[in-house]
Amino acid sequence: MREAPVGVFDSGVGGLSVLAEISRLLPDESLLYVADCGHIPYGEKSPEFIRQRCRLVADFFQQQGAKAMVLACNTATVAAVADLRERYPHWPLVGMEPAVKPAAAATRSGVVGVLATTGTLQSAKFAALLDRFASDVRVITQPCPGLVDLIETGELDSPALRQLLRSYVEPLLAAGCDTLILGCTHYPFLKPLLAEMVPSTVAIIDTGAAVARQLQRLLHERGLLAAGPAQPAQFWTSASVQHLQDILPLLWSGSGRVRRLAM
Ligand code: DGL
């Protein structure tokens, strides 16, 4: 069981930013990755729809013998993590949420900006996160429709992407935010662009590394950490295999086979 793979899931390629953190911290783990590119973006879909998709993927990882699952998607986590925990009570499951707690601790101006999907920002789980950790700071939320779709094309520096990103970030800077939370796993791929757009005094925070550490903790507690060597990562997409194959080298430094998952 220790050498069984870990299943990592996102609506698309965003979770590859988390996969990279997992592979850096836990190089002996064999990784499976499912991108539900056929149904992206989740940010504008209903929670019920997302829960159904997550169930299908969780069942698939179970069939593949995965010893744990990482929901490498903030939007899927708010919609489905409770449902999946109920469905698989004994399966180590790691979800993710915007880094409100570290951002509230880090801000000096007292103003924090959150870039995330509409689904994440409208959720009760996100409201609870703000109540719990951000009562002393001003949090400005910015839904970013369209951004994920552009990132999915694999063009991370197009004029359209720059323009859209700028339109989302500028109001946050104008409001005095000195800490920017990337509350969607697609957005870490925009860090080079963001670094050009925001002053160097603005901290940019995401939770990929924290999720990798949480996975490490859970596997360690259960005696499930792999001794290695890891198998090459395996990828599945619910849309075009060719497209994922084409853009994978831009977003993932390792190798890996891509297959189609009809679901
Ligand atoms: N990557 C996902 C997240 O972390 C969402 C992308 C989407 O809208 O599908 O929220």
Side-chain angles (χ1 to χ4, degrees):
M1 190 61 182
R2 286 171 45 174
E3 302 310 317
V6 173
V8 180
F9 169 58
D10 180 44
S11 57
V13 297
L16 294 170
S17 66
V18 181
L19 196 73
E21 299 289 354
I22 294 173
S23 143
R24 219 186 327 269
L25 184 68
L26 301 169
D28 291 328
E29 299 297 337
S30 301
L31 301 172
L32 312 179
Y33 185 91
V34 170
D36 193 11
C37 298
H39 298 88
I40 201 139
Y42 278 10
E44 317 294 317
K45 302 274 192 313
S46 74
E48 187 47 38
F49 176 85
I50 297 169
R51 272 193 289 280
Q52 294 302 338
R53 303 303 300 166
C54 289
R55 283 182 185 188
L56 290 174
V57 176
D59 290 353
F60 172 72
F61 283 149
Q62 287 271 326
Q63 286 155 18
Q64 296 293 313
K67 65 183 174 186
M69 175 171 180
V70 177
L71 268 175
C73 176
N74 295 264
T75 314
T77 299
V78 296
V81 74
D83 179 69
L84 291 180
R85 288 197 206 286
E86 210 170 288
R87 199 170 164 88
Y88 298 108
H90 305 296
W91 202 31
L93 187 66
V94 182
M96 61 196 307
E97 59 191 19
V100 171
K101 188 182 174 189
T107 179
R108 293 168 311 278
S109 69
V111 188
V112 169
V114 189
L115 300 172
T117 66
T118 307
T120 296
L121 296 175
Q122 282 180 350
S123 68
K125 226 169 153 27
F126 182 70
L129 198 61
L130 292 185
D131 277 350
R132 185 148 173 233
F133 296 117
S135 48
D136 295 339
V137 299
R138 182 167 167 229
V139 176
I140 307 177
T141 57
Q142 176 63 65
C144 305
L147 216 48
V148 160
D149 311 68
L150 289 174
I151 295 167
E152 286 286 322
T153 66
E155 271 199 57
L156 299 179
D157 193 3
S158 66
L161 183 59
R162 271 177 185 266
Q163 196 184 358
L164 192 61
L165 185 60
R166 201 180 292 282
S167 75
Y168 291 143
V169 168
E170 269 174 2
L172 301 178
L173 296 177
C177 104
D178 70 347
T179 309
L180 202 54
I181 299 174
L182 305 184
C184 167
T185 54
H186 281 73
Y187 306 163
F189 292 118
L190 303 180
K191 277 183 185 168
L193 269 193
L194 280 167
E196 287 178 29
M197 278 177 202
V198 308
S200 58
T201 49
V202 173
I204 299 174
I205 305 187
D206 69 271
T207 37
V211 164
R213 288 195 297 274
Q214 174 64 3
L215 174 65
Q216 183 183 41
R217 261 192 300 273
L218 284 185
L219 294 179
H220 175 71
E221 271 168 27
R222 295 169 193 231
L224 286 175
L225 281 169
Q231 303 294 316
Q234 300 182 62
F235 300 87
W236 285 266
T237 172
S238 57
S240 156
V241 168
Q242 187 62 52
H243 178 66
L244 186 55
Q245 240 156 18
D246 288 346
I247 65 172
L248 201 56
L250 299 169
L251 308 169
W252 167 248
S253 58
S255 59
R257 174 169 175 209
V258 181
R259 275 170 280 183
R260 170 141 169 102
L261 186 60
M263 59 167 199

